[in-house]
Every structure is written in C-alpha cells, then in structure tokens.
Amino acid sequence: MVEHARVISPPKASVKDYIQLMKPGIVVWLMITAFSAMVVAAHGIPPISTMVWTLMGLGLSAGGAHAVNMWYDRDIDRIMKRTQNRPVVTGKISPEQALAFGIAAGLVSFIGLGVLVNWLTASATLAGYLFYIFVYTMWLKRRSAQNIVIGGAAGAFPPIVGWTAVTHQLGWAPWLMFLLIFLWTPPHFWSLALYKQDDYRRAEIPMMPIVRGPRVTKAQNVVYAVLTVLASVGLYFTHTVSLIYLVSAIVLGLAFVGYTVRLWLEPDSETVWAKKTFFFSLMYIAGLFVVMMI
C-alpha cells in the first residue's frame, strides 16, 4: 500500500505578523511628526475626528509602503542580520500576500483620507507612499550611495500631511519641517550604517560608508547636522513656534553637531560614537517635535 506524502502548508499569518510587516516602530515615529505638525497648525489640539482619521490614514499608508518594501527586498533581507526575522523572510507571510496587502493599504488610505479629511492631505500621503516604493526602494537603494539622502524625503512627508489636514493648505512651516527631517536623515542613518557595514556589504547595498569610506561619511555627517540645525532654527521665523522652541532648537542642535564632530574624530576602526550618534539623533529629532508642540 502506497502512503501518500503529506503536503505541509505554510503557517497561517497572524495579526502580529501583519503588524510586523508594517514596521510599527517607524510608523509610530511618522505619526508623531504628523501629530506635532497638526498641533502647531491648530495652535493646540486639533479636532479629534481630523486627528484620528489623519493618523490612521497615514499609518495605513506608511505600513502599506513598508509591506511592498519587504516584498521587493526579500532577497537581501535574508542576507542582512537585522532583517532576517521579517515575516516575508521567515515565510509567515508570502511575498504575494505582502504585495497585495501593501497595495490595498495604500489605496484604502488615499481614498479614506480624501473622503474623510481632504484631498490635499490624501495626495501628500500618497506622494510619500509612492516615493518610498519607487524612488527609494526600487530605484535608489541598490544603485546609489545617495539612496538615503534622496530617499529620505519619503520620511519627511508626514509633517505636510498633518499640516494640510488642519489648514487645508501649505505654507513655509510644513516645508521647513519637511526639510528638517530630510536633512536629519543622512547623519541619522549613516551613523547606523557605520556600525552595520558588514550587513550592507554582504547584501551589496551601496551605502555611503562602503562606497566612499567612513572618513568621507563622517565628514558629511557633520555638514548635514549643521544644515539640520539651520533648518530647525528657520522654523522659528515662520512665527508658528515660540522662543522656547528657538532656544531648545539651538541647544539640541549644538549637541547634535557635537556628536557628529566627536564621531568624525573617532578612529575609523571603532564604532562607539557611531552607535552613540545614532541613538542621540533619535532623541534629538523627537525632542525638537515635542518642543514644537509645547
């Protein structure tokens, strides 16, 4: 009697797996910057319905873009240690499921924001979604050492999303918030890349420390940190934030520049200050947006 081999089906994806697919840590950060812009635009807490629908739509859009990113990058995610536990790599979610979820999330977000908030906010959210997928993930990430510089614009859209949700229009303030995050992204991410070089080298991703070397990367970190501080100070002159913000931006900015200078002075064989700079950059940008609200 011939015994038929049993077909082992892949494990069923859980809600937790889909949450992981959306990169929740990054999504929360994007929602915080959008919420901060909403508070500044409204000079206080914005209408609850506007706030809830905007943050839900943004979160869904960002999560959908991340799902498409995991579908596209599943080959290199298997190689890099920090991405080997992602649900598409482990097989908890199939590539087809990730792609379908990502597209559906982006579509639902765009229509929902347009109907429930306004179409300018929906368009700004969609622009960030498309930029992250097509410009950063599919075009720049594997081809250019400027991948983070240009691609970082995708993470800078949320303040525009938050601002337009409240005011239904654009202005200098949201664009300066956009510029602030755009300029902050290279020294933030390159600090990570400096102590994760082996991961990126194995995956053949042309990050700046690999293509141009640690010395050039560290020098550029200092330059971008200074430009970030200038953008942060510039926000004060839009008359949307107070003197408290200006003083805080200068103090936090000097500390941020100080970290990048100390990183530049560190021997290229060491990564202690690369890690310190990476983690301080997170506290720096979070502190700025908190002070904006205050």
PDB file of all heavy atoms in Angstrom, residues 232-259:
ATOM      1  N   SER A 232      16.111  73.837  11.450  1.00  0.00           N
ATOM      2  CA  SER A 232      15.309  73.846  12.678  1.00  0.00           C
ATOM      3  C   SER A 232      15.141  75.260  13.225  1.00  0.00           C
ATOM      4  O   SER A 232      14.066  75.646  13.689  1.00  0.00           O
ATOM      5  CB  SER A 232      15.946  72.943  13.741  1.00  0.00           C
ATOM      6  OG  SER A 232      17.144  73.503  14.250  1.00  0.00           O
ATOM      7  N   VAL A 233      16.195  76.056  13.149  1.00  0.00           N
ATOM      8  CA  VAL A 233      16.129  77.447  13.613  1.00  0.00           C
ATOM      9  C   VAL A 233      15.236  78.270  12.686  1.00  0.00           C
ATOM     10  O   VAL A 233      14.482  79.156  13.127  1.00  0.00           O
ATOM     11  CB  VAL A 233      17.541  78.054  13.699  1.00  0.00           C
ATOM     12  CG1 VAL A 233      17.478  79.563  13.921  1.00  0.00           C
ATOM     13  CG2 VAL A 233      18.341  77.386  14.811  1.00  0.00           C
ATOM     14  N   GLY A 234      15.296  77.973  11.394  1.00  0.00           N
ATOM     15  CA  GLY A 234      14.485  78.700  10.424  1.00  0.00           C
ATOM     16  C   GLY A 234      12.997  78.609  10.701  1.00  0.00           C
ATOM     17  O   GLY A 234      12.239  79.541  10.391  1.00  0.00           O
ATOM     18  N   LEU A 235      12.571  77.501  11.315  1.00  0.00           N
ATOM     19  CA  LEU A 235      11.149  77.331  11.619  1.00  0.00           C
ATOM     20  C   LEU A 235      10.634  78.430  12.541  1.00  0.00           C
ATOM     21  O   LEU A 235       9.471  78.848  12.442  1.00  0.00           O
ATOM     22  CB  LEU A 235      10.918  75.954  12.259  1.00  0.00           C
ATOM     23  CG  LEU A 235       9.472  75.583  12.575  1.00  0.00           C
ATOM     24  CD1 LEU A 235       8.631  75.533  11.305  1.00  0.00           C
ATOM     25  CD2 LEU A 235       9.417  74.236  13.299  1.00  0.00           C
ATOM     26  N   TYR A 236      11.484  78.933  13.414  1.00  0.00           N
ATOM     27  CA  TYR A 236      11.079  79.989  14.354  1.00  0.00           C
ATOM     28  C   TYR A 236      10.613  81.236  13.614  1.00  0.00           C
ATOM     29  O   TYR A 236       9.679  81.927  14.043  1.00  0.00           O
ATOM     30  CB  TYR A 236      12.242  80.326  15.290  1.00  0.00           C
ATOM     31  CG  TYR A 236      11.987  81.535  16.160  1.00  0.00           C
ATOM     32  CD1 TYR A 236      11.132  81.465  17.254  1.00  0.00           C
ATOM     33  CD2 TYR A 236      12.591  82.764  15.871  1.00  0.00           C
ATOM     34  CE1 TYR A 236      10.890  82.587  18.045  1.00  0.00           C
ATOM     35  CE2 TYR A 236      12.360  83.884  16.650  1.00  0.00           C
ATOM     36  CZ  TYR A 236      11.503  83.790  17.747  1.00  0.00           C
ATOM     37  OH  TYR A 236      11.260  84.894  18.518  1.00  0.00           O
ATOM     38  N   PHE A 237      11.229  81.531  12.489  1.00  0.00           N
ATOM     39  CA  PHE A 237      10.951  82.771  11.763  1.00  0.00           C
ATOM     40  C   PHE A 237       9.681  82.683  10.907  1.00  0.00           C
ATOM     41  O   PHE A 237       9.335  83.639  10.216  1.00  0.00           O
ATOM     42  CB  PHE A 237      12.164  83.151  10.916  1.00  0.00           C
ATOM     43  CG  PHE A 237      13.377  83.448  11.752  1.00  0.00           C
ATOM     44  CD1 PHE A 237      14.367  82.485  11.950  1.00  0.00           C
ATOM     45  CD2 PHE A 237      13.509  84.673  12.380  1.00  0.00           C
ATOM     46  CE1 PHE A 237      15.474  82.751  12.739  1.00  0.00           C
ATOM     47  CE2 PHE A 237      14.616  84.951  13.172  1.00  0.00           C
ATOM     48  CZ  PHE A 237      15.596  83.983  13.359  1.00  0.00           C
ATOM     49  N   THR A 238       8.990  81.540  10.983  1.00  0.00           N
ATOM     50  CA  THR A 238       7.667  81.446  10.342  1.00  0.00           C
ATOM     51  C   THR A 238       6.583  81.913  11.306  1.00  0.00           C
ATOM     52  O   THR A 238       5.405  81.937  10.937  1.00  0.00           O
ATOM     53  CB  THR A 238       7.372  80.000   9.918  1.00  0.00           C
ATOM     54  OG1 THR A 238       7.312  79.158  11.075  1.00  0.00           O
ATOM     55  CG2 THR A 238       8.438  79.483   8.955  1.00  0.00           C
ATOM     56  N   HIS A 239       6.987  82.234  12.556  1.00  0.00           N
ATOM     57  CA  HIS A 239       6.064  82.709  13.587  1.00  0.00           C
ATOM     58  C   HIS A 239       4.996  81.686  13.962  1.00  0.00           C
ATOM     59  O   HIS A 239       3.889  82.050  14.341  1.00  0.00           O
ATOM     60  CB  HIS A 239       5.392  84.029  13.152  1.00  0.00           C
ATOM     61  CG  HIS A 239       6.365  85.080  12.731  1.00  0.00           C
ATOM     62  ND1 HIS A 239       7.269  85.664  13.611  1.00  0.00           N
ATOM     63  CD2 HIS A 239       6.620  85.630  11.507  1.00  0.00           C
ATOM     64  CE1 HIS A 239       8.017  86.537  12.954  1.00  0.00           C
ATOM     65  NE2 HIS A 239       7.643  86.541  11.678  1.00  0.00           N
ATOM     66  N   THR A 240       5.351  80.410  13.842  1.00  0.00           N
ATOM     67  CA  THR A 240       4.420  79.347  14.234  1.00  0.00           C
ATOM     68  C   THR A 240       4.854  78.662  15.534  1.00  0.00           C
ATOM     69  O   THR A 240       4.089  77.873  16.091  1.00  0.00           O
ATOM     70  CB  THR A 240       4.314  78.276  13.129  1.00  0.00           C
ATOM     71  OG1 THR A 240       5.622  77.787  12.815  1.00  0.00           O
ATOM     72  CG2 THR A 240       3.680  78.849  11.874  1.00  0.00           C
ATOM     73  N   VAL A 241       6.070  78.952  15.984  1.00  0.00           N
ATOM     74  CA  VAL A 241       6.576  78.379  17.228  1.00  0.00           C
ATOM     75  C   VAL A 241       7.142  79.511  18.094  1.00  0.00           C
ATOM     76  O   VAL A 241       7.400  80.604  17.600  1.00  0.00           O
ATOM     77  CB  VAL A 241       7.670  77.313  16.962  1.00  0.00           C
ATOM     78  CG1 VAL A 241       7.071  76.038  16.375  1.00  0.00           C
ATOM     79  CG2 VAL A 241       8.744  77.860  16.020  1.00  0.00           C
ATOM     80  N   SER A 242       7.353  79.217  19.372  1.00  0.00           N
ATOM     81  CA  SER A 242       7.725  80.268  20.323  1.00  0.00           C
ATOM     82  C   SER A 242       9.232  80.365  20.537  1.00  0.00           C
ATOM     83  O   SER A 242      10.018  79.577  19.987  1.00  0.00           O
ATOM     84  CB  SER A 242       7.053  79.993  21.666  1.00  0.00           C
ATOM     85  OG  SER A 242       7.642  78.849  22.268  1.00  0.00           O
ATOM     86  N   LEU A 243       9.621  81.317  21.378  1.00  0.00           N
ATOM     87  CA  LEU A 243      11.019  81.497  21.740  1.00  0.00           C
ATOM     88  C   LEU A 243      11.568  80.268  22.470  1.00  0.00           C
ATOM     89  O   LEU A 243      12.750  79.948  22.351  1.00  0.00           O
ATOM     90  CB  LEU A 243      11.170  82.752  22.619  1.00  0.00           C
ATOM     91  CG  LEU A 243      12.600  83.167  22.985  1.00  0.00           C
ATOM     92  CD1 LEU A 243      13.402  83.499  21.733  1.00  0.00           C
ATOM     93  CD2 LEU A 243      12.571  84.367  23.935  1.00  0.00           C
ATOM     94  N   ILE A 244      10.699  79.597  23.208  1.00  0.00           N
ATOM     95  CA  ILE A 244      11.112  78.358  23.889  1.00  0.00           C
ATOM     96  C   ILE A 244      11.633  77.359  22.871  1.00  0.00           C
ATOM     97  O   ILE A 244      12.650  76.692  23.079  1.00  0.00           O
ATOM     98  CB  ILE A 244       9.936  77.746  24.680  1.00  0.00           C
ATOM     99  CG1 ILE A 244       9.524  78.673  25.825  1.00  0.00           C
ATOM    100  CG2 ILE A 244      10.304  76.365  25.219  1.00  0.00           C
ATOM    101  CD1 ILE A 244       8.282  78.205  26.558  1.00  0.00           C
ATOM    102  N   TYR A 245      10.932  77.259  21.753  1.00  0.00           N
ATOM    103  CA  TYR A 245      11.374  76.349  20.690  1.00  0.00           C
ATOM    104  C   TYR A 245      12.732  76.766  20.148  1.00  0.00           C
ATOM    105  O   TYR A 245      13.619  75.929  19.948  1.00  0.00           O
ATOM    106  CB  TYR A 245      10.362  76.303  19.540  1.00  0.00           C
ATOM    107  CG  TYR A 245      10.937  75.614  18.316  1.00  0.00           C
ATOM    108  CD1 TYR A 245      10.946  74.226  18.215  1.00  0.00           C
ATOM    109  CD2 TYR A 245      11.535  76.354  17.289  1.00  0.00           C
ATOM    110  CE1 TYR A 245      11.526  73.594  17.128  1.00  0.00           C
ATOM    111  CE2 TYR A 245      12.103  75.728  16.192  1.00  0.00           C
ATOM    112  CZ  TYR A 245      12.094  74.350  16.122  1.00  0.00           C
ATOM    113  OH  TYR A 245      12.679  73.721  15.045  1.00  0.00           O
ATOM    114  N   LEU A 246      12.917  78.060  19.879  1.00  0.00           N
ATOM    115  CA  LEU A 246      14.177  78.542  19.305  1.00  0.00           C
ATOM    116  C   LEU A 246      15.359  78.192  20.209  1.00  0.00           C
ATOM    117  O   LEU A 246      16.380  77.673  19.737  1.00  0.00           O
ATOM    118  CB  LEU A 246      14.116  80.047  19.084  1.00  0.00           C
ATOM    119  CG  LEU A 246      15.402  80.694  18.550  1.00  0.00           C
ATOM    120  CD1 LEU A 246      15.763  80.138  17.180  1.00  0.00           C
ATOM    121  CD2 LEU A 246      15.261  82.214  18.492  1.00  0.00           C
ATOM    122  N   VAL A 247      15.229  78.480  21.490  1.00  0.00           N
ATOM    123  CA  VAL A 247      16.315  78.185  22.433  1.00  0.00           C
ATOM    124  C   VAL A 247      16.586  76.677  22.462  1.00  0.00           C
ATOM    125  O   VAL A 247      17.739  76.229  22.426  1.00  0.00           O
ATOM    126  CB  VAL A 247      15.962  78.699  23.843  1.00  0.00           C
ATOM    127  CG1 VAL A 247      17.011  78.245  24.855  1.00  0.00           C
ATOM    128  CG2 VAL A 247      15.845  80.225  23.835  1.00  0.00           C
ATOM    129  N   SER A 248      15.522  75.891  22.510  1.00  0.00           N
ATOM    130  CA  SER A 248      15.672  74.434  22.549  1.00  0.00           C
ATOM    131  C   SER A 248      16.321  73.910  21.275  1.00  0.00           C
ATOM    132  O   SER A 248      17.164  73.009  21.311  1.00  0.00           O
ATOM    133  CB  SER A 248      14.305  73.770  22.745  1.00  0.00           C
ATOM    134  OG  SER A 248      13.705  74.199  23.946  1.00  0.00           O
ATOM    135  N   ALA A 249      15.912  74.468  20.125  1.00  0.00           N
ATOM    136  CA  ALA A 249      16.474  74.032  18.850  1.00  0.00           C
ATOM    137  C   ALA A 249      17.971  74.309  18.782  1.00  0.00           C
ATOM    138  O   ALA A 249      18.749  73.494  18.257  1.00  0.00           O
ATOM    139  CB  ALA A 249      15.758  74.736  17.699  1.00  0.00           C
ATOM    140  N   ILE A 250      18.388  75.457  19.316  1.00  0.00           N
ATOM    141  CA  ILE A 250      19.819  75.802  19.311  1.00  0.00           C
ATOM    142  C   ILE A 250      20.599  74.868  20.231  1.00  0.00           C
ATOM    143  O   ILE A 250      21.654  74.336  19.854  1.00  0.00           O
ATOM    144  CB  ILE A 250      20.018  77.266  19.728  1.00  0.00           C
ATOM    145  CG1 ILE A 250      19.450  78.202  18.651  1.00  0.00           C
ATOM    146  CG2 ILE A 250      21.504  77.566  19.954  1.00  0.00           C
ATOM    147  CD1 ILE A 250      19.425  79.663  19.049  1.00  0.00           C
ATOM    148  N   VAL A 251      20.084  74.639  21.440  1.00  0.00           N
ATOM    149  CA  VAL A 251      20.776  73.781  22.404  1.00  0.00           C
ATOM    150  C   VAL A 251      20.856  72.343  21.897  1.00  0.00           C
ATOM    151  O   VAL A 251      21.928  71.716  21.893  1.00  0.00           O
ATOM    152  CB  VAL A 251      20.068  73.829  23.776  1.00  0.00           C
ATOM    153  CG1 VAL A 251      20.665  72.787  24.718  1.00  0.00           C
ATOM    154  CG2 VAL A 251      20.172  75.219  24.385  1.00  0.00           C
ATOM    155  N   LEU A 252      19.709  71.814  21.458  1.00  0.00           N
ATOM    156  CA  LEU A 252      19.692  70.447  20.934  1.00  0.00           C
ATOM    157  C   LEU A 252      20.555  70.333  19.682  1.00  0.00           C
ATOM    158  O   LEU A 252      21.260  69.337  19.477  1.00  0.00           O
ATOM    159  CB  LEU A 252      18.260  70.021  20.619  1.00  0.00           C
ATOM    160  CG  LEU A 252      17.349  69.724  21.807  1.00  0.00           C
ATOM    161  CD1 LEU A 252      15.900  69.580  21.351  1.00  0.00           C
ATOM    162  CD2 LEU A 252      17.802  68.452  22.524  1.00  0.00           C
ATOM    163  N   GLY A 253      20.505  71.374  18.840  1.00  0.00           N
ATOM    164  CA  GLY A 253      21.276  71.355  17.609  1.00  0.00           C
ATOM    165  C   GLY A 253      22.776  71.349  17.850  1.00  0.00           C
ATOM    166  O   GLY A 253      23.530  70.626  17.190  1.00  0.00           O
ATOM    167  N   LEU A 254      23.230  72.158  18.815  1.00  0.00           N
ATOM    168  CA  LEU A 254      24.656  72.168  19.144  1.00  0.00           C
ATOM    169  C   LEU A 254      25.112  70.815  19.667  1.00  0.00           C
ATOM    170  O   LEU A 254      26.214  70.349  19.355  1.00  0.00           O
ATOM    171  CB  LEU A 254      24.942  73.265  20.178  1.00  0.00           C
ATOM    172  CG  LEU A 254      24.836  74.705  19.670  1.00  0.00           C
ATOM    173  CD1 LEU A 254      25.010  75.691  20.833  1.00  0.00           C
ATOM    174  CD2 LEU A 254      25.869  74.977  18.578  1.00  0.00           C
ATOM    175  N   ALA A 255      24.246  70.177  20.434  1.00  0.00           N
ATOM    176  CA  ALA A 255      24.575  68.841  20.945  1.00  0.00           C
ATOM    177  C   ALA A 255      24.663  67.834  19.795  1.00  0.00           C
ATOM    178  O   ALA A 255      25.579  66.995  19.748  1.00  0.00           O
ATOM    179  CB  ALA A 255      23.528  68.396  21.959  1.00  0.00           C
ATOM    180  N   PHE A 256      23.730  67.928  18.844  1.00  0.00           N
ATOM    181  CA  PHE A 256      23.729  67.021  17.691  1.00  0.00           C
ATOM    182  C   PHE A 256      24.984  67.197  16.856  1.00  0.00           C
ATOM    183  O   PHE A 256      25.643  66.218  16.471  1.00  0.00           O
ATOM    184  CB  PHE A 256      22.471  67.278  16.856  1.00  0.00           C
ATOM    185  CG  PHE A 256      22.287  66.335  15.714  1.00  0.00           C
ATOM    186  CD1 PHE A 256      22.563  64.984  15.833  1.00  0.00           C
ATOM    187  CD2 PHE A 256      21.799  66.795  14.493  1.00  0.00           C
ATOM    188  CE1 PHE A 256      22.382  64.100  14.768  1.00  0.00           C
ATOM    189  CE2 PHE A 256      21.607  65.931  13.425  1.00  0.00           C
ATOM    190  CZ  PHE A 256      21.900  64.578  13.563  1.00  0.00           C
ATOM    191  N   VAL A 257      25.341  68.447  16.578  1.00  0.00           N
ATOM    192  CA  VAL A 257      26.577  68.713  15.829  1.00  0.00           C
ATOM    193  C   VAL A 257      27.778  68.198  16.607  1.00  0.00           C
ATOM    194  O   VAL A 257      28.707  67.613  16.038  1.00  0.00           O
ATOM    195  CB  VAL A 257      26.724  70.222  15.546  1.00  0.00           C
ATOM    196  CG1 VAL A 257      28.097  70.521  14.941  1.00  0.00           C
ATOM    197  CG2 VAL A 257      25.620  70.691  14.601  1.00  0.00           C
ATOM    198  N   GLY A 258      27.753  68.389  17.932  1.00  0.00           N
ATOM    199  CA  GLY A 258      28.853  67.916  18.770  1.00  0.00           C
ATOM    200  C   GLY A 258      29.049  66.407  18.668  1.00  0.00           C
ATOM    201  O   GLY A 258      30.183  65.912  18.613  1.00  0.00           O
ATOM    202  N   TYR A 259      27.950  65.680  18.629  1.00  0.00           N
ATOM    203  CA  TYR A 259      28.038  64.217  18.482  1.00  0.00           C
ATOM    204  C   TYR A 259      28.655  63.834  17.143  1.00  0.00           C
ATOM    205  O   TYR A 259      29.493  62.922  17.071  1.00  0.00           O
ATOM    206  CB  TYR A 259      26.646  63.585  18.611  1.00  0.00           C
ATOM    207  CG  TYR A 259      26.300  63.154  20.019  1.00  0.00           C
ATOM    208  CD1 TYR A 259      25.865  64.071  20.966  1.00  0.00           C
ATOM    209  CD2 TYR A 259      26.407  61.817  20.403  1.00  0.00           C
ATOM    210  CE1 TYR A 259      25.535  63.683  22.257  1.00  0.00           C
ATOM    211  CE2 TYR A 259      26.080  61.415  21.693  1.00  0.00           C
ATOM    212  CZ  TYR A 259      25.653  62.348  22.614  1.00  0.00           C
ATOM    213  OH  TYR A 259      25.341  61.954  23.890  1.00  0.00           O
TER     214      TYR A 259
END
